[in-house]
Amino acid sequence: MILIMILCLCLASSYRVNGTRIISKEEDLELERQLKLINKPPIKSIQTEFGHIVDCIDINKQLAFDHPLLKDHKIQRIPQFSLRTTKNISSAYARPSMIGLKDPCPLGTVPIRRTTKEDLIAIRSLSNNIHPQSATNPGVYNAAIQMKKQARIIPSYTGVQGHVNVYNPQVKKGNSAAQIYIMNGPEENLNIISTGWMVSPDIFHDPYTHFFTVWTIDGYKKTGCYNTNCPGFVQIDRRNYPGIPITNVSIPDENQFEIAFSIDKEEDGNWWVSFDHILIGYFPATLFNNFSEPEAVGWGGVVVNPPNGISPPMGSGLFPDGNYKHVGSFRQIQYRDNTGKLNVPQDLLYDIIIDNKSCYDLKNDGYQGEYMGYAFEFGGPGGQCRN
């Protein structure tokens, strides 16, 4: 019903959103119908400085609850686990990025980025998978560390987290992201949750860096979406939301800004997404069909370029060279196993995934002291890349 329909996979791929091609009356009517279903009546609307509109929606009437599996869902306001898992250690290396609405939505409401016709068309790019299993997906390139499934040592995973410095790579087409993720299943039945920062003029229609979430239960064939463009993610925070722009970004060899991202499983099976220890919301357990014991977690960069196009830069756009002041990097990367214990990657228990070393690379630096923790560098300039 609504959940599948709003993915817009049935729309013609030749549709142009900037007026260069006139769409049919039937297509336009379908878009309008979908927008009325997706954009709920707001209690308050906010015109942001970045050009998009944020609607403050009754928390109990947000799009998530249009999902047939969430009709009787009871909202969870706060999880049982504690978010603060690493010490606050002062350093001149990086400062937190600024993110969030200047004024929060009113009590009882949550901020939801208003969906446009352009957004509905861009959702089609969801078929360009944003996960490491990209061998069969030309134009998708990863530089990532991924924990292996170890039945005897690590039966399953219940969380993943890491600090990543935030950049604004120049992307003309496609997207460039830094992400953490947790997943399970083969390609055709892939269940995955991913979050991080992304630059995508195709998805966001601007050049800014955005906080994002994405999920699926079938390898992005018919289910799932970015942010809140389809029923699924339950928004809780009143100031921050999936798709929000990040105002402070790093500049190579100058000021560095970072965000700590995490995905954590609650005892009831819900999967919470947070950044800088702020609970943004969660994916209810009932959304997933193969996620009771996820077999992999990971951290890294990923880019998606248009067919026969130029691959965008990853990270800062520079190859790893040991200088954390000007390359894309993760620090304090950790995973939580099925016992609830936090660990760092250990030798022989992870894979390093680099899809195209001529365009992107990853340098695993291991444990780098109390502040950096387990750290690695990633990125590259992109260009004429081929799988």
Side-chain angles (χ1 to χ4, degrees):
M1 205 170 104
I2 297 174
L3 126 115
I4 301 300
M5 177 185 64
I6 66 173
L7 293 179
C8 304
L9 297 177
C10 59
L11 294 178
S13 61
S14 60
Y15 175 90
R16 306 286 178 83
V17 298
N18 293 322
T20 55
R21 178 182 181 271
I22 299 175
I23 64 172
S24 70
K25 182 178 179 180
E26 290 75 16
E27 288 174 319
D28 192 57
L29 288 173
E30 175 63 14
L31 290 173
E32 291 290 350
R33 186 171 70 90
Q34 292 184 31
L35 289 176
K36 289 179 181 179
L37 293 170
I38 295 169
N39 294 321
K40 304 303 181 183
I43 304 300
K44 175 183 177 181
S45 294
I46 302 169
Q47 177 67 60
T48 70
E49 60 186 289
F50 300 97
H52 65 272
I53 296 174
V54 173
D55 290 323
C56 297
I57 306 297
D58 184 327
I59 192 171
N60 295 297
K61 296 180 180 179
Q62 57 184 294
L63 181 63
F65 303 121
D66 283 0
H67 196 295
L69 295 177
L70 301 181
K71 291 295 184 182
D72 300 316
H73 181 77
K74 183 178 180 181
I75 294 179
Q76 183 181 14
R77 301 289 181 136
I78 189 169
Q80 299 298 314
F81 57 77
S82 172
L83 279 177
R84 191 164 293 281
T85 54
T86 56
K87 297 179 180 179
N88 285 327
I89 303 170
S90 60
S91 172
Y93 164 65
R95 293 176 287 177
S97 282
M98 299 297 293
I99 188 169
L101 295 172
K102 293 179 181 179
D103 298 308
C105 280
L107 287 172
T109 70
V110 290
I112 305 291
R113 176 170 169 149
R114 185 180 296 179
T115 300
T116 66
K117 290 182 183 180
E118 288 83 358
D119 294 327
L120 294 182
I121 301 304
I123 291 171
R124 297 189 73 257
S125 66
L126 191 60
S127 61
N128 290 324
N129 293 348
I130 187 169
H131 63 84
Q133 297 174 335
S134 59
T136 59
N137 299 290
V140 180
Y141 302 103
N142 295 269
I145 291 180
Q146 180 173 303
M147 295 298 300
K148 298 178 180 179
K149 181 179 180 180
Q150 299 286 336
R152 293 183 179 179
I153 302 173
I154 310 172
S156 64
Y157 297 91
T158 60
V160 59
Q161 62 187 46
H163 297 238
V164 59
N165 55 358
V166 181
Y167 277 98
N168 181 243
Q170 300 304 299
V171 180
K172 295 181 179 179
K173 278 291 192 181
N175 58 57
S176 180
Q179 63 176 355
I180 63 172
Y181 58 88
I182 186 163
M183 66 183 190
N184 191 58
E187 186 86 14
E188 65 278 3
N189 190 33
L190 180 72
N191 284 224
I192 184 170
I193 297 171
S194 175
T195 189
W197 63 256
M198 174 186 287
V199 178
S200 177
D202 293 340
I203 295 174
F204 298 108
H205 322 300
D206 62 41
Y208 305 119
T209 304
H210 295 256
F211 162 63
F212 82 95
T213 61
V214 67
W215 70 281
T216 184
I217 64 170
D218 63 356
Y220 305 106
K221 293 178 179 65
K222 293 183 179 180
T223 67
C225 63
Y226 287 101
N227 307 320
T228 51
N229 284 322
C230 70
F233 184 77
V234 178
Q235 174 76 25
I236 295 297
D237 192 66
R238 292 165 48 217
R239 190 184 295 271
N240 301 279
Y241 55 91
I244 191 171
I246 302 171
T247 53
N248 295 77
V249 296
S250 304
I251 298 175
D253 297 316
E254 296 185 24
N255 291 334
Q256 296 292 298
F257 297 92
E258 69 173 15
I259 293 179
F261 294 104
S262 67
I263 304 170
D264 293 282
K265 185 180 182 180
E266 175 60 291
E267 291 182 1
D268 58 10
N270 295 338
W271 292 90
W272 283 82
V273 174
S274 68
F275 63 72
D276 289 344
H277 311 296
I278 300 171
L279 293 162
I280 309 303
Y282 62 93
F283 292 97
T286 51
L287 286 177
F288 301 94
N289 57 22
N290 187 24
F291 221 37
S292 59
E293 296 183 344
E295 63 184 6
V297 297
W299 313 257
V302 59
V303 299
V304 178
N305 71 304
N308 302 316
I310 302 297
S311 296
M314 177 190 293
S316 70
L318 301 174
F319 284 116
D321 64 359
N323 187 342
Y324 280 80
K325 284 285 189 178
H326 66 211
V327 299
S329 63
F330 276 83
R331 70 176 184 90
Q332 292 288 355
I333 65 171
Q334 296 175 297
Y335 66 87
R336 195 180 299 276
D337 62 24
N338 61 304
T339 69
K341 182 181 178 181
L342 276 173
N343 298 282
V344 299
Q346 296 140 14
D347 290 344
L348 306 179
L349 296 182
Y350 63 82
D351 291 315
I352 293 179
I353 302 169
I354 305 172
D355 288 330
N356 192 312
K357 285 183 71 70
S358 65
C359 292
Y360 313 103
D361 205 356
L362 184 149
K363 182 176 182 289
N364 185 9
D365 296 318
Y367 185 75
Q368 295 293 301
E370 191 175 14
Y371 173 75
M372 296 296 289
Y374 199 102
F376 68 91
E377 310 155 46
F378 70 96
Q384 293 286 356
C385 308
R386 294 290 183 271
N387 287 76

